[in-house]
Amino acid sequence: MAAAGAVCLAVTAQSFAADAKAPEAKPASNYVIAKAGTLEVQRGEVENMLNSLPPQARAEIKANRPAAERLVRSQLADKAVLQQAQTQNWAQRPEVKAQIDAATKEIVFRSYLASVSAVPADYPSDKELQAVYDQTKGQMVKPAQYRVAQIFIPAPANDAKAVAEARKSAADIAKEAQNPKANFTALMKKYSKDPSAQAGGDTGLIPLGQLLPEMRPVVGKLKKGDVSAPVQSGQGFHVLKLVDMTPQGTPTLAEVRDSLRNAMRQKRQQDTAAAYLQGLLNNQTVTVDGPALNAVVDSVIR
C-alpha cells in the first residue's frame, strides 16, 4: 500500500547504524524499531516480516541493510493508510464490509476444511512411496543433461563495429579451439570474458532449457568433446564445448522422492476434503429447484 501524504519517520539508531553494537540481551518483541507520530513498528513485527520473505530476499537484506529500513518504512506507510481509513470508518462502507465478510468466510472455510482433512505426518510410508513410484515411473522423464564450457566475447547488439570485431575474433578462436590438440580450458582463460573462465568453470550438468535460447539448438546437436562455431546472442558471441552429457531417462526414486511425497500428500488431502464435503451432504436431504436455477443461469450468463 502507498502512504497518503508524507510520513515523519524516526528509526532507532541501534537497528540500522552500521557501526552500532549489538545489545547484550535480545530486546523484547515489543521493542520499538521505528515510529511515525503515534504509529510504531515493533521488533516482533519486523521478525515476522523477515521470516515471511523467501530465502533470496532475506539474503539480499542481510547484505543490504538500507533495504531493511525501506521495508520498515513501508510498514509504517501501510499503518498510516490504515489509520486514515479507520478514522473515516472505511470498513463500514457496504461494499467494503461485503468484501470483509466474504474474506472472513473464505478463511474460516479453508482453515476448518484443512483441519478436518489433515494428512498424517508419517504419510506416505517408504513402502507406499515405492509402490506409487513403480506404478508411475514409466510416465516420468528426466531430461537430457548437458555440461557446457564457453569462450565468451562480449559485443553490444547496438554497436555494429563491436559486433563485427567480436564476430571475427570469435571465428578465429573457434577455429583454434576446434583443433584436436587444443586445450579448451587454456583458451578459455586466455580469451573468454566470462568471469568463470579463469577458474575453468562450466555449467555443470543442466537441461537445455537452462541455457540461452540461442545456445540450445547448437548444444543439442554437439557430441561430447565437440566445439561449436560462434553462437551470437544479445550479449555477444559464444564458442561452446560440450564437456559431458547424460541422455534422457527415468529418474530414480531418490531423485523424485520429495516431489512425489508432496504430490501424494496433496492428493490425499484433496481426496479427504472431498469425501468430508460429500459426507456432509449425504447426511442431509438435498433438493435443488431446477427451473429456478436455470432462470438464474440464463439471467446472468447471456
Side-chain angles (χ1 to χ4, degrees), residues 204-226:
L205 284 170
I206 60 174
L208 279 181
Q210 292 187 24
L211 295 172
L212 290 175
E214 297 88 350
M215 294 181 178
R216 297 169 194 168
V218 176
V219 171
K221 295 178 181 178
L222 293 177
K223 295 179 180 179
K224 183 177 177 179
D226 284 354

Side-chain angles (χ1 to χ4, degrees), residues 190-238:
K190 181 178 179 180
Y191 296 117
S192 183
K193 303 304 179 183
D194 182 354
S196 67
Q198 295 306 311
D202 56 49
T203 61
L205 284 170
I206 60 174
L208 279 181
Q210 292 187 24
L211 295 172
L212 290 175
E214 297 88 350
M215 294 181 178
R216 297 169 194 168
V218 176
V219 171
K221 295 178 181 178
L222 293 177
K223 295 179 180 179
K224 183 177 177 179
D226 284 354
V227 175
S228 74
V231 176
Q232 185 177 7
S233 72
Q235 303 166 351
F237 291 86
H238 311 259

Side-chain angles (χ1 to χ4, degrees), residues 6-300:
V7 176
C8 179
L9 175 69
V11 180
T12 54
Q14 295 93 332
S15 298
F16 302 113
D19 57 351
K21 295 182 179 180
E24 294 182 1
K26 178 181 176 181
S29 61
N30 62 353
Y31 180 83
V32 176
I33 296 294
K35 297 177 65 177
T38 60
L39 301 174
E40 295 180 350
V41 173
Q42 299 178 349
R43 178 188 174 95
E45 295 176 281
V46 177
E47 289 176 342
N48 292 337
M49 174 182 61
L50 294 177
N51 287 330
S52 69
L53 296 174
Q56 182 178 352
R58 291 202 297 269
E60 291 174 356
I61 289 176
K62 181 76 171 178
N64 180 15
R65 295 308 170 89
E69 182 171 338
R70 288 194 294 271
L71 283 176
V72 172
R73 286 177 176 271
S74 177
Q75 276 203 330
L76 280 173
D78 289 356
K79 290 190 174 190
V81 172
L82 287 172
Q83 186 182 63
Q84 291 184 1
Q86 288 167 356
T87 61
Q88 298 178 37
N89 292 319
W90 198 261
Q92 300 307 313
R93 293 170 66 95
E95 69 277 16
V96 177
K97 195 172 186 304
Q99 293 180 54
I100 294 173
D101 291 343
T104 300
K105 290 177 181 178
E106 180 70 12
I107 292 170
V108 172
F109 168 77
R110 295 296 176 189
S111 176
Y112 182 74
L113 186 60
S115 72
V116 298
S117 60
V119 179
D122 60 354
Y123 177 82
S125 66
D126 289 343
K127 184 177 180 180
E128 290 169 317
L129 267 174
Q130 184 69 57
V132 172
Y133 171 77
D134 290 340
Q135 292 170 4
T136 61
K137 65 181 180 180
Q139 305 166 26
M140 301 180 186
V141 177
K142 180 180 179 181
Q145 306 275 310
Y146 300 83
R147 184 188 297 274
V148 180
Q150 74 162 339
I151 298 172
F152 173 59
I153 309 299
N158 59 355
D159 188 335
K161 181 179 179 182
V163 169
E165 292 176 350
R167 178 179 284 107
K168 183 179 184 307
S169 177
D172 293 340
I173 293 170
K175 184 176 181 180
E176 184 177 356
Q178 288 168 346
N179 187 310
K181 296 182 180 180
N183 184 326
F184 195 85
T185 300
L187 294 177
M188 284 172 58
K189 294 180 179 180
K190 181 178 179 180
Y191 296 117
S192 183
K193 303 304 179 183
D194 182 354
S196 67
Q198 295 306 311
D202 56 49
T203 61
L205 284 170
I206 60 174
L208 279 181
Q210 292 187 24
L211 295 172
L212 290 175
E214 297 88 350
M215 294 181 178
R216 297 169 194 168
V218 176
V219 171
K221 295 178 181 178
L222 293 177
K223 295 179 180 179
K224 183 177 177 179
D226 284 354
V227 175
S228 74
V231 176
Q232 185 177 7
S233 72
Q235 303 166 351
F237 291 86
H238 311 259
V239 177
L240 308 171
K241 179 176 181 178
L242 182 59
V243 179
D244 197 7
M245 69 90 63
T246 59
Q248 175 178 298
T250 301
T252 64
L253 175 57
E255 291 173 323
V256 299
R257 174 179 291 275
D258 290 344
S259 60
L260 183 59
R261 180 177 184 275
N262 290 339
M264 290 175 66
R265 289 182 61 82
Q266 184 177 33
K267 186 177 186 305
R268 173 75 170 267
Q269 184 171 35
Q270 290 172 345
D271 291 346
T272 303
Y276 176 81
L277 292 173
Q278 186 61 45
L280 291 177
L281 296 181
N282 289 341
N283 293 330
Q284 303 180 50
T285 300
V286 178
T287 61
V288 178
D289 188 332
L293 176 59
N294 291 336
V296 173
V297 172
D298 293 337
S299 67
V300 174

